[in-house]
Amino acid sequence: MTIPAVLFWILLALAAVLFLSAARALPRALRAEPGARTDPWLTFADHVLSIPPVVAFALGEEEAAFYALLLLGPVLTWSLARSLRSAGAERKATG
């Protein structure tokens, strides 16, 4: 698939932003206290694993993007499950 040049550069800029976000999330994950390590590491993994699909789409490699999204799927699912569980626990505590 041929990607227009403008979209190519937009996707590469997005990959660079994701890389910088991952670089900012890593120290937070490394400094996290033992009881609160999962969320910072999930944030870091989300940013890191979002880079390969964006780059693959920029290069026009749909198959590589699909397999990269397969790696990202469990991280996003786990993050969603944790946020729903914490929102449910918060509702129980207040209501």
Side-chain angles (χ1 to χ4, degrees):
M1 177 170 97
T2 305
I3 301 290
V6 173
L7 185 58
F8 172 79
W9 289 110
I10 290 172
L11 288 172
L12 283 185
L14 177 61
V17 168
L18 287 169
F19 180 77
L20 292 174
S21 297
R24 289 186 61 199
L26 181 59
R28 290 184 201 135
L30 291 173
R31 280 185 277 138
E33 296 295 321
R37 286 190 179 157
T38 305
D39 286 333
W41 279 107
L42 280 173
T43 302
F44 174 70
D46 179 16
H47 293 306
V48 168
L49 292 175
S50 295
I51 297 170
V54 171
V55 172
F57 279 128
L59 297 175
E61 298 290 333
E62 296 91 7
E63 188 174 349
F66 172 74
Y67 289 117
L69 286 172
L70 285 179
L71 294 174
L72 183 61
V75 172
L76 294 177
T77 304
W78 191 9
S79 294
L80 177 64
R82 285 184 56 82
S83 67
L84 290 175
R85 190 173 57 184
S86 68
E90 187 176 296
R91 252 184 287 137
K92 269 187 184 176
T94 60

